Amino acid sequence: GAVVSQHPSRVICKSGTSVKIECRSLDFQATTMFWYRQFPKQSLMLMATSNEGSKATYEQGVEKDKFLINHASLTLSTLTVTSAHPEDSSFYICSANPLGGNTIYFGEGSWLTVV
Amino acid sequence: RKEVEQDPGPFNVPEGATVAFNCTYSNSASQSFFWYRQDCRKEPKLLMSVYSSGNEDGRFTAQLNRASQYISLLIRDSKLSDSATYLCVVRRDDKIIFGKGTRLHILP
């Protein structure tokens, strides 16, 4: 089946630094990928829609200058958390669906801890 | 009103019982419907797509009612391993909307 890979799966960074998370579709191409955040015991929250070759679309309340999204190819989107703070510590998940397909596949998620 | 609504639960159900979840959606232009399962501290995984004709996969049956704008998931003969959060997902054009999930605990 279709596979979406995220890297790193876990990262610890110091407050004020930036962290990049990669989301790759391994066996299909995706013009659109989605980034979510999930705090413990809470539901998934869509942060932004990543569009290949154009600017990402951010959900209300999500700072685009803090969460930089780049979708440079049909198989890779990256999320960079800039100037990270402890309150950014969360589970970040990406998803994608194959071109022309309907099913949404999720990456394994990335646990970010900012200390 | 949220576009996709689910009862958050938790549903505490004895092993072997049948449990049913509903999910309602507000936008009649919604096109595709799914149930995902999310285990604690893991990513959601597709359980099944949902069609108007209804579809069944082993102990799981999903149904879509477009007139009333809801989808359902029925789990028969529940197992301990069915304990998870079940997410209702609705797709409309390029937008994917998640319900907040229903937590299910299967009790031994």
Side-chain angles (χ1 to χ4, degrees):
Chain A
V3 177
V4 174
S5 175
Q6 257 184 265
H7 178 80
S9 56
R10 290 183 180 275
V11 57
I12 301 172
C13 72
K14 289 185 178 178
S15 206
T17 61
S18 295
V19 174
K20 182 188 283 189
I21 301 170
E22 292 186 347
C23 178
R24 291 181 187 274
S25 53
L26 296 185
D27 53 358
F28 64 91
Q29 293 181 325
T31 54
T32 305
M33 292 186 176
F34 303 89
W35 286 97
Y36 308 84
R37 181 168 53 181
Q38 186 173 35
F39 292 108
K41 297 190 178 180
Q42 295 190 23
S43 55
L44 283 169
M45 187 194 83
L46 179 65
M47 298 175 68
T49 302
S50 169
N51 303 298
E52 188 266 337
S54 65
K55 290 182 182 179
T57 306
Y58 289 83
E59 295 299 300
Q60 196 172 11
V62 178
E63 300 172 59
K64 62 180 181 181
D65 295 329
K66 180 169 180 62
F67 298 99
L68 301 179
I69 290 172
N70 184 280
H71 194 152
S73 78
L74 288 171
T75 58
L76 174 64
S77 174
T78 61
L79 167 69
T80 302
V81 183
T82 62
S83 187
H85 290 285
E87 57 263 32
D88 297 324
S89 299
S90 187
F91 188 44
Y92 291 86
I93 312 175
C94 70
S95 73
N97 68 285
L99 287 174
N102 214 20
T103 303
I104 307 133
Y105 298 97
F106 286 86
E108 308 97 324
S110 300
W111 285 97
L112 170 64
T113 303
V114 184
V115 297
Chain B
R1 182 187 172 190
K2 291 187 169 47
E3 188 161 351
V4 176
E5 298 212 58
Q6 289 182 252
D7 182 340
F11 284 47
N12 297 309
V13 174
E15 193 175 6
T18 295
V19 60
F21 308 136
N22 279 341
C23 164
T24 58
Y25 61 95
S26 61
N27 195 319
S28 59
S30 300
Q31 297 152 319
S32 307
F33 308 88
F34 309 89
W35 283 104
Y36 278 76
R37 170 197 169 124
Q38 186 175 25
D39 292 292
C40 190
R41 301 172 72 87
K42 298 276 191 182
E43 78 279 18
K45 293 191 176 169
L46 178 66
L47 183 63
M48 54 202 306
S49 302
V50 189
Y51 307 110
S52 295
S53 54
N55 46 307
E56 189 173 310
D57 182 3
R59 298 181 292 109
F60 299 85
T61 302
Q63 193 80 43
L64 164 65
N65 185 317
R66 283 195 183 269
S68 301
Q69 294 182 198
Y70 78 83
I71 69 172
S72 63
L73 177 68
L74 183 77
I75 306 174
R76 288 182 299 277
D77 187 24
S78 53
K79 311 288 185 194
L80 294 175
S81 57
D82 294 333
S83 297
T85 296
Y86 290 83
L87 302 170
C88 169
V89 179
V90 172
R91 185 168 188 159
R92 174 172 54 79
D93 299 324
D94 275 344
K95 206 163 174 63
I96 297 168
I97 306 106
F98 283 84
K100 290 193 175 296
T102 298
R103 283 180 295 142
L104 173 64
H105 297 150
I106 303 299
L107 307 172

